[in-house]
Amino acid sequence: EKGQQLCKFVCTTFWSVQFNAVRQAFMNPQISSKDSSSSGGDAGGASGSSKSSSGTNRLDIEKSYIRSLATSFAWAASGGKSGAAFSRTTDDRFVIKCISRTELQMFLDCAPAYFEYLSKAFFHGLPTVLCKIVGVYQIGYHNRVTGRRTMEQVAVMQNIFFGRKISKIFDLKGSLRGRFTRQGNVEKEKKSSKKKNKQYRRSKSENTTSDSDSFSSCDEDDDDTLSTSSGGIEKDEKASSNNADKGEKAEKSESISTLLDGDFLEFTNGRPLPLTDRAKAVFHMSILNDTLFLSIINVLDYSILVGIDEEKMELVVGIIDFMRQYDILKQMERVGKSLPMVVGSEAPTIIQPPLYKARFTNAMERYFMTVPSKWTTI
């Protein structure tokens, strides 16, 4: 009937003012205003124009943020064991993660410390590699016809690989216990099977040289049929070329599997990845600052995402999954994983936050090293 509400949607925004300030600092292009640097003209007019330009800049940032969230698609992110649902905006700027109510409450409790830490990073130059969370929401709807109610909590965070062509992705925690993907073994099996097939074909072609002459006429007929049928296929390929081009980027991004610590050591042959002295210094200070902050707010089980951009010869890094504190459930998980341990085996991934911080920082020292150049001071 007309005027009857069939469905009701609810969206709750947490810490809206603070997250708005985070988005303004994070998404601001940092273009210096020309009005403040103008030599002539009225002082009052210059200040008024700067205020209006800052206001429009804020509106533009919020509009671009809303446009990004308006269209998104489900993203099957690999590497995680939590089973959380992920989505990614179509412009690849943000990643949307569904979180539990426990993680939401834990983040809301430590949100003031998080905003204070980001303010030091944005306005005081504190080195950090934390993946920025730019919004936390609770979204739900009530279907009045069927009576169905759903409520989900989501966190919107930056995509650290935005605008990058990443060839390999590693999710590092500093522990080797259960930190090896099965996909690497599957790829090895595929490569070995391909080699075996090639060797089998070569041996078969060498043994049947006389038979190949008798089948030459059939091969020519097959070529003719393929050439005649290709004319009809070309039309279909031209019609679907646009869709294929659009899907190539998504397929490439999804085809890159997230590797773990064991795969990283296998990729580097047990050697650390080389960094320039300045990059290593900034990376080391960022890891120390971030791990100290996360240890203070009693957070653990975080990891660092490392992407290799081979075109620019750069590493793109960011600490993720820092919304879970060391509560009673994590303590029980640590005890449960420690019981079946054998003497001399690797410690479980769940340990106390100070110990987790020490293990994480030590692992980063082993995984990355400084390569001196002619400008390096000894």
Side-chain angles (χ1 to χ4, degrees):
E1 296 179 2
K2 187 177 181 180
Q4 185 179 1
Q5 292 184 356
L6 300 179
C7 190
K8 182 181 179 182
F9 293 90
V10 178
C11 180
T12 305
T13 305
F14 300 98
W15 297 94
S16 58
V17 177
Q18 287 80 2
F19 274 120
N20 186 12
V22 171
R23 290 192 293 270
Q24 297 298 327
F26 172 66
M27 301 175 64
N28 193 354
Q30 296 180 355
I31 300 175
S32 60
S33 59
K34 296 181 181 180
D35 297 328
S36 60
S37 61
S38 59
S39 56
D42 227 3
S47 62
S49 61
S50 63
K51 288 181 181 179
S52 62
S53 63
S54 63
T56 55
N57 190 19
R58 289 195 171 191
L59 290 176
D60 293 339
I61 290 175
E62 285 300 302
K63 285 181 180 179
S64 64
Y65 176 68
I66 294 172
R67 288 195 193 100
S68 297
L69 296 183
T71 53
S72 62
F73 60 93
W75 179 39
S78 60
K81 297 181 180 179
S82 61
F86 286 88
S87 298
R88 195 169 61 187
T89 58
T90 53
D91 58 357
D92 288 341
R93 296 191 69 182
F94 301 103
V95 174
I96 305 168
K97 179 183 179 182
C98 293
I99 59 177
S100 62
R101 293 184 180 179
T102 305
E103 291 177 337
L104 173 64
Q105 189 59 44
M106 287 180 178
F107 180 78
L108 294 180
D109 293 340
C110 62
Y114 170 74
F115 294 129
E116 183 181 359
Y117 185 75
L118 286 190
S119 66
K120 294 178 181 178
F122 286 136
F123 305 112
H124 299 283
L126 184 72
T128 178
V129 290
L130 279 182
C131 181
K132 311 299 184 299
I133 297 176
V134 296
V136 176
Y137 309 95
Q138 192 174 34
I139 304 170
Y141 75 91
H142 176 209
N143 193 335
R144 298 180 184 272
V145 178
T146 60
R148 183 181 179 183
R149 296 172 181 264
T150 59
M151 189 70 68
E152 290 185 354
Q153 301 80 27
V154 297
V156 182
M157 58 192 73
Q158 70 169 128
N159 182 13
I160 62 174
F161 301 141
F162 172 66
R164 297 277 189 164
K165 292 183 179 180
I166 303 299
S167 59
K168 284 187 178 296
I169 300 175
F170 297 97
D171 188 348
L172 307 178
K173 283 189 176 182
S175 175
L176 294 177
R177 184 176 182 180
R179 302 288 296 170
F180 198 90
T181 58
R182 296 179 181 177
Q183 296 179 359
N185 298 330
V186 173
E187 289 177 358
K188 287 181 180 178
E189 291 177 358
K190 288 182 179 179
K191 290 180 180 179
S192 62
S193 63
K194 287 181 180 179
K195 289 181 179 179
K196 289 180 180 178
N197 290 333
K198 288 181 180 179
Q199 292 175 358
Y200 176 73
R201 288 174 183 174
R202 287 177 183 175
S203 61
K204 190 176 181 180
S205 62
E206 289 175 356
N207 295 329
T208 59
T209 53
S210 60
D211 296 336
S212 62
D213 297 333
S214 61
F215 285 107
S216 61
S217 60
C218 297
D219 293 335
E220 289 175 358
D221 296 336
D222 292 335
D223 294 336
D224 294 337
T225 55
L226 287 174
S227 62
T228 54
S229 62
S230 64
I233 297 173
E234 283 178 359
K235 295 180 181 179
D236 297 333
E237 289 178 349
K238 289 180 181 178
S240 61
S241 60
N242 296 328
N243 297 327
D245 292 337
K246 290 180 181 178
E248 279 181 358
K249 294 181 180 180
E251 289 176 358
K252 287 180 181 179
S253 61
E254 292 177 358
S255 62
I256 301 176
S257 59
T258 303
L259 306 177
L260 304 180
D261 294 70
D263 306 292
F264 179 81
L265 293 179
E266 189 180 52
F267 171 71
T268 60
N269 293 324
R271 302 185 184 93
L273 274 184
L275 298 176
T276 60
D277 51 354
R278 176 168 175 77
K280 181 63 169 63
V282 174
F283 177 75
H284 179 67
M285 288 300 299
S286 301
I287 292 297
L288 291 180
N289 294 332
D290 294 339
T291 53
L292 178 61
F293 164 70
L294 295 176
S295 177
I296 290 173
I297 62 176
N298 206 28
V299 171
L300 77 164
D301 206 20
Y302 48 86
S303 60
I304 185 167
L305 210 60
V306 179
I308 300 178
D309 190 349
E310 294 184 354
E311 287 191 357
K312 297 183 179 180
M313 299 299 292
E314 292 178 351
L315 293 180
V316 185
V317 299
I319 294 180
I320 59 173
D321 295 338
F322 52 89
M323 298 184 70
R324 191 62 190 260
Q325 290 179 320
Y326 189 62
D327 57 348
I328 185 65
L329 296 178
K330 287 293 182 182
Q331 293 178 15
M332 294 174 62
E333 183 180 355
R334 180 184 67 85
V335 174
K337 290 184 177 180
S338 300
L339 289 177
M341 280 182 57
V342 184
V343 177
S345 62
E346 188 74 20
T349 56
I350 306 299
I351 54 178
Q352 293 87 345
L355 299 178
Y356 193 93
K357 168 185 173 296
R359 186 180 67 184
F360 189 84
T361 52
N362 292 333
M364 294 305 107
E365 287 294 320
R366 296 194 309 269
Y367 292 166
F368 305 95
M369 65 171 291
T370 304
V371 175
S373 61
K374 61 181 180 180
W375 294 282
T376 304
T377 58
I378 300 175

Coordinates of all heavy atoms in Angstrom, one line a residue, residues 36 82 101 151 165 259 264 282:
S36 N 46.9 32.4 1.1 CA 47.7 32.8 2.3 C 49.0 33.3 1.9 O 49.7 34.1 2.6 CB 47.9 31.6 3.2 OG 48.5 30.5 2.5
S82 N 40.4 -15.8 10.4 CA 39.2 -15.4 11.2 C 37.9 -15.7 10.5 O 36.9 -15.8 11.1 CB 39.3 -13.9 11.6 OG 39.4 -13.1 10.4
R101 N 31.0 -8.0 17.5 CA 30.6 -7.0 18.5 C 31.7 -6.9 19.5 O 31.9 -5.8 20.1 CB 29.3 -7.5 19.1 CG 28.1 -7.4 18.2 CD 26.8 -7.7 18.9 NE 25.7 -7.7 18.0 CZ 24.4 -7.9 18.4 NH1 24.2 -8.2 19.7 NH2 23.4 -7.8 17.5
M151 N 21.9 -7.2 11.7 CA 22.7 -6.1 12.2 C 24.2 -6.5 12.1 O 24.6 -7.6 12.5 CB 22.4 -5.8 13.7 CG 23.1 -4.6 14.2 SD 22.4 -3.1 13.6 CE 20.8 -3.1 14.3
K165 N 51.0 -1.6 -8.3 CA 51.0 -2.8 -9.0 C 51.8 -3.8 -8.2 O 53.0 -3.9 -8.4 CB 51.5 -2.7 -10.4 CG 50.6 -1.8 -11.3 CD 51.1 -1.7 -12.8 CE 50.2 -0.9 -13.6 NZ 50.7 -0.8 -15.0
L259 N 50.7 -14.6 1.1 CA 51.7 -15.6 1.6 C 52.0 -15.3 3.1 O 51.8 -14.1 3.5 CB 52.9 -15.7 0.8 CG 52.7 -15.9 -0.7 CD1 54.0 -15.9 -1.5 CD2 52.0 -17.3 -0.9
F264 N 57.6 -16.3 3.1 CA 58.5 -15.2 3.0 C 60.0 -15.7 3.1 O 60.8 -15.2 2.3 CB 58.2 -14.2 4.0 CG 59.1 -13.0 4.0 CD1 58.9 -11.9 3.1 CD2 60.2 -12.9 4.9 CE1 59.7 -10.8 3.1 CE2 61.0 -11.8 4.9 CZ 60.8 -10.7 4.0
V282 N 63.4 4.6 8.9 CA 62.0 5.0 9.1 C 61.1 3.7 9.4 O 60.3 3.8 10.3 CB 61.5 5.6 7.8 CG1 60.0 5.9 7.9 CG2 62.3 6.9 7.5

